[in-house]
Amino acid sequence: MTVVLDPSAQSAPIQGVLDPISCDARNFGAYARTGGWTFALKVARSVRPGGQSADETPKVSAKEFAELAGCSPERVMRYYKAWDRAADYGLVPHFEVLVPGQDIELPDAEAWQTYYVSRSSASSERGSAITEAAAAEGIRPTKALEVAENPTALRAAILADPSTAQAARTALLDRVKEDPALQAELARDIARTDELKKAVATETRAADRIGYVRQIAEKGQIRTPAGQTLDAPAELRSEAERHLSLLDELDEGEDTGEWVTEAYDTMKNLVVETVEADPELRVQERRTKFYSSLQKATEVFEELTFDDADDIYEDDMVQRLEELQQAIGSCITALRSAAPRR
């Protein structure tokens, strides 16, 4: 005799077997949607708020709740405080309006980590600052607190991983703008480290050279070797813009040294050629250079004092001054002879 089984009968619910599974599935789904809010609600509706006595509410203390739950009061209070923070922001109801056993619609699970902090260090002033910074960056406070509590691990990550070192550098630069003490410490570190001093000098020179090209491209001005500031010819400004666009297109982190040097040298040579090609500019350049040298020499001699001439006197000094006097005399004669007749 052949027995044919009904396929639909094989999948029918078996009383007492699927009910616990359905219950677990519903609980799992609730937790998947709301995360820690599921447990925080149990605390919020069962633990009485601070300031309320046992006579005023059917709720129990955090200590009593922890004993019933088989965990520490500190753990219960972490959920309590997370709910309290969220209530202050209007995300969930305050404790006073909740009653034991009450169900409410809970926030999404993603919001939980913004308010829940599992580490005791978060209660300190330092921990609160780290928690706020983590929230601003959109990361879990627990991650930031863990890093802050283990600086040796942070150091190891920075030393071993370029991307971590880059993140640390960016963070330091952001902080140093608002931290004068850190500015001073970093400046001292640089001043005491030869490699860093050389690197700073190199980058400063490169920045000055880029600034030279940028002034021509963006402001339309050139600075001659003698120090004149003039309007840049259209073709010169166009060439500066071309070099500047090449520099701006370089990838972040790419070595710009060769490109900067080429742009600077090219523009500097073009400025010299522009001055030499214009007779009037060429004369003005020589005049400006002469005045600049004369001003420097004048300032040097004005700073000299001879109150202690007896102590510093040497024959060589007098000889060199006499030679200088002759040179100045020749210069004056040349200029006078070139003066226009009146």
Side-chain angles (χ1 to χ4, degrees):
M1 182 177 178
T2 304
V3 178
V4 179
L5 298 177
D6 183 358
S8 62
Q10 292 179 325
S11 60
I14 302 175
Q15 185 66 27
V17 175
L18 288 186
D19 282 349
I21 297 176
S22 298
C23 182
D24 284 346
R26 285 195 298 271
N27 289 337
F28 178 84
Y31 185 78
R33 290 188 302 273
T34 62
W37 297 113
T38 300
F39 300 116
L41 173 61
K42 298 179 187 301
V43 172
R45 69 192 184 188
S46 302
V47 175
R48 61 175 176 261
Q52 281 193 342
S53 66
D55 297 332
E56 298 178 76
T57 175
K59 297 181 181 182
V60 299
S61 68
K63 183 178 179 181
E64 291 176 278
F65 188 88
E67 290 174 353
L68 291 171
C71 66
S72 68
E74 289 77 18
R75 183 172 180 82
V76 172
M77 287 306 298
R78 286 199 288 271
Y79 281 85
Y80 182 97
K81 290 177 180 178
W83 188 276
D84 191 31
R85 294 187 192 99
D88 286 341
Y89 282 92
L91 194 65
V92 294
H94 285 281
F95 300 103
E96 291 80 3
V97 301
L98 296 172
V99 297
Q102 179 181 358
D103 282 324
I104 64 169
E105 185 176 349
L106 296 172
D108 291 337
E110 289 76 8
W112 172 247
Q113 292 298 342
T114 302
Y115 301 95
Y116 177 74
V117 179
S118 64
R119 313 183 77 85
S120 60
S121 62
S123 60
S124 66
E125 182 177 349
R126 174 173 176 263
S128 298
I130 294 172
T131 300
E132 291 178 7
E137 294 290 337
I139 62 173
R140 294 192 308 175
T142 50
K143 291 291 185 182
L145 288 164
E146 183 178 355
V147 171
E149 290 174 7
N150 198 342
T152 303
L154 176 61
R155 170 182 166 82
I158 292 173
L159 290 174
D161 179 38
S163 62
T164 303
Q166 176 66 21
R169 182 186 72 85
T170 303
L172 275 175
L173 287 176
D174 288 341
R175 177 171 181 130
V176 78
K177 298 173 184 176
E178 307 296 334
D179 191 336
L182 182 58
Q183 292 175 15
E185 290 173 7
L186 286 177
R188 283 193 294 269
D189 289 339
I190 292 172
R192 294 168 182 170
T193 308
D194 290 339
E195 292 81 4
L196 289 178
K197 283 196 296 184
K198 292 177 182 177
V200 169
T202 299
E203 291 301 321
T204 300
R205 184 168 59 252
D208 290 342
R209 290 182 168 185
I210 293 176
Y212 180 84
V213 178
R214 192 176 299 279
Q215 179 170 315
I216 299 174
E218 297 180 353
K219 296 184 178 180
Q221 292 182 327
I222 60 175
R223 187 172 179 82
T224 69
Q228 295 187 82
T229 300
L230 310 170
D231 291 335
E235 61 275 13
L236 190 62
R237 185 172 185 176
S238 176
E239 182 67 10
E241 290 172 349
R242 185 181 72 83
H243 280 282
L244 197 60
S245 66
L246 290 174
L247 289 170
D248 291 339
E249 290 174 5
L250 294 177
D251 294 333
E252 185 176 354
E254 186 174 351
D255 185 10
T256 61
E258 183 178 347
W259 295 89
V260 170
T261 299
E262 180 183 351
Y264 176 75
D265 289 344
T266 299
M267 298 314 303
K268 192 174 181 181
N269 290 336
L270 287 176
V271 168
V272 172
E273 291 175 6
T274 299
V275 172
E276 290 297 319
D278 187 325
E280 185 176 344
L281 275 181
R282 187 167 63 246
V283 170
Q284 183 61 34
E285 182 76 353
R286 293 177 62 191
R287 184 181 293 115
T288 301
K289 186 177 181 181
F290 181 89
Y291 269 114
S292 177
S293 299
L294 182 60
Q295 180 65 28
K296 292 176 182 177
T298 301
E299 290 174 356
V300 169
F301 272 93
E302 286 177 345
E303 291 176 358
L304 294 178
T305 59
F306 299 96
D307 296 337
D308 54 352
D310 293 341
D311 297 329
I312 66 172
Y313 172 84
E314 289 185 1
D315 291 339
D316 182 60
M317 289 182 182
V318 176
Q319 181 180 349
R320 297 188 65 178
L321 284 170
E322 289 175 345
E323 292 172 354
L324 180 59
Q325 185 180 34
Q326 293 176 3
I328 292 174
S330 299
C331 181
I332 293 173
T333 301
L335 288 173
R336 283 177 174 170
S337 63
R341 297 180 179 276
R342 295 181 181 178

